[in-house]
Each structure stands twice: as C-alpha cells, then as structure tokens.
Amino acid sequence: MNKIKKIQKKKNKSKIVCLTAYSKNIAEEIDKYTDLILVGDSLGSVLYNYRTTRNVTLNMMIEHAKSVRQGVTKSLMVVDLPYNTYRNKIEALKCSKKIIKETKCDAVKLEGGLKIIEIVKHLTKNKIPVMGHVGILPQSVQGKFRFKGKNLKEQKQILSDAIALEEAGVFSVVIEGVEKNLSKLITNKIKIPTIGIGASNYCDGQILVTDDILGLTKSKIKFVKNYFNMKKSIRLAAKKYRLDVISKKFPSKKYLY
Ligand code: KIV
C-alpha cells in the first residue's frame, strides 16, 4: 500500500502523527515515530528569524528538503510550496514538479481553500499529490496570528474551503488555529484526514514544529507542548567542551591519530 493510502486508512481508526523537519539529522530520528514529515516553510521563522514565511524561497525549500529526504525512510514526506510559487496554475505546476523532482518528496502542501481551488485542481489533475491547509494561513498573515472560526462567517468559509479542497483531490488537509467545534465539524464532514495544529484532538492527526517540541524556539504559542529542553543540553555540552579544551583534556590520546 502506498504511503498516502496508508495515512488515509487511519481516519476513524488511529491518530496520524506528524512533525516538521528541516534537516537530515532530525528527520532521521523523528521518522521512527511519525507517519508524515513536513518540510514546512516555518523554517523561515524558526531557522532564519524571518518575520514572515513570505521571505522563504523555492531554493531554500529544495535545499532543506534534499537534506530531510536523506533521513526519511518510513514516513510520508511533504514539502511546502513557499509564497509566490503558486500564483497561477502554470507556476504552481512548474514549482511542484521541480520540488518533487529535485527532492524526491511524496507530496506538496499549499495554503488556502476556495481562492486557490483551480490551482489545486490543476495540480491533482496532473498527478501531483497535494495536501491542503486551512484556518490560519501564515503566508497571508502580516503581523500577529489570530485564532480562526470565532464567527459564523469565518466558520462557513473555513468549512467550505476544506470541502472544496477535498473535491479538488487533496489527500489530506492541515487545519491550523481553529476553534475545536469547527475542527470537529470539518473532520466529520470530509472523508480525507484532517491534521490539526492548534485545532483540538477532534482532528484525525496532529502536527507540531519539531524545534518547538524540543524547546529550541522561544515559542509561547498556547497550542505548543514542549517535550524537552534541548537548549539546556546544547549549553551543557558546549560548556563541557570548553572546559576540556581550556584544561587541555581534549583531545586526549584516545582522539589522536
Ligand atoms: O510551515 C509549517 O511548518 C506548517 C505546519 C506547522 C503545519 O505549515
């Protein structure tokens, strides 16, 4: 069974575990426990300190994805189409093909619903496996992120986006920063798996940014759960190394040719 089908079959049976990765070493470790690994354009803010993901380029995504590819064997690997790479059908298809060809990823993800539906249809018609993304759309936000689905107009729009994406042939959809009852409604309404980030455990699966769960970022976002203090471990290792170098304990005989 192919990896997409395997993930889709989990709907209503078991939860789908997803995380982001931007490089081989991290991908290799998380791959043991994930169903899907996303090379997200969140790398712009997480690694490059950009104020918005809009500054992330196609080449950046390709280089990071090539690295991730070397660490992923088991999980489905998805790569974000960055901002300004899917303004029209032709551009979207060209960029998706380039990403898939150069990185050997399994699928691409793009943000938006009804507004980009013709573009999504064009991709799926051309056999590009696509993951959707509704709710908070970071590429469209200039400034603070605002929780979505508080009013009826927004709820209707996000639900219609998700339904339209399913009809356009996406294999799954990320729901970001959305009120829990709306996530529940969408998850029950569509047949493809929903992957939540800040969207409650009504979703079929969950995704978080790996650097956040490792405590590598200063994220104070409510929906982020921190599982480890990696900054502390890095500091400790660097401190021990410094002491060894200064005291000439390193390199000892063991490390000499
Ligand atoms: O860019 C990203 O990492 C994402 C996920 C967090 C869903 O889109």
Side-chain angles (χ1 to χ4, degrees), residues 20 22 38-43 46 53 61 80 109 111 133 138 174-176 195-197 207-209 223:
T20 63
Y22 313 133
L38 171 71
V39 186
D41 64 353
S42 53
L43 64 84
V46 175
T53 53
M61 292 307 297
D80 263 340
K109 174 167 82 60
E111 295 179 9
H133 186 145
V174 168
I175 306 181
E176 179 164 354
I195 307 297
I197 173 160
I207 186 161
L208 281 176
V209 168
F223 61 70

Side-chain angles (χ1 to χ4, degrees), residues 125-158:
K125 235 187 260 166
N126 281 281
K127 305 213 172 342
I128 304 287
V130 179
M131 184 173 203
H133 186 145
V134 300
I136 294 178
L137 308 175
Q139 290 176 10
S140 311
V141 180
Q142 300 273 57
K144 267 199 159 185
F145 288 2
R146 198 179 56 77
F147 193 66
K148 293 273 179 181
K150 278 189 176 159
N151 58 61
L152 200 63
K153 188 174 162 228
E154 229 172 55
Q155 288 166 11
K156 278 186 178 165
Q157 185 227 308
I158 297 170

Side-chain angles (χ1 to χ4, degrees), residues 71-105:
V72 180
T73 49
K74 181 181 112 331
S75 305
L76 181 85
M77 179 179 156
V78 181
V79 178
D80 263 340
L81 274 176
Y83 186 63
N84 276 353
T85 61
Y86 53 101
R87 287 168 290 189
N88 56 61
K89 290 181 186 180
I90 296 164
E91 182 180 59
L93 186 58
K94 190 173 151 216
C95 295
S96 301
K97 280 185 171 171
K98 187 172 162 73
I99 289 181
I100 292 172
K101 184 166 178 248
E102 292 192 24
T103 75
K104 315 252 180 311
C105 68

Side-chain angles (χ1 to χ4, degrees), residues 234-247:
I234 292 172
R235 278 200 306 271
L236 202 68
K239 187 178 170 187
K240 282 186 180 168
Y241 170 69
R242 178 185 163 81
L243 290 174
D244 275 1
V245 171
I246 288 171
S247 65

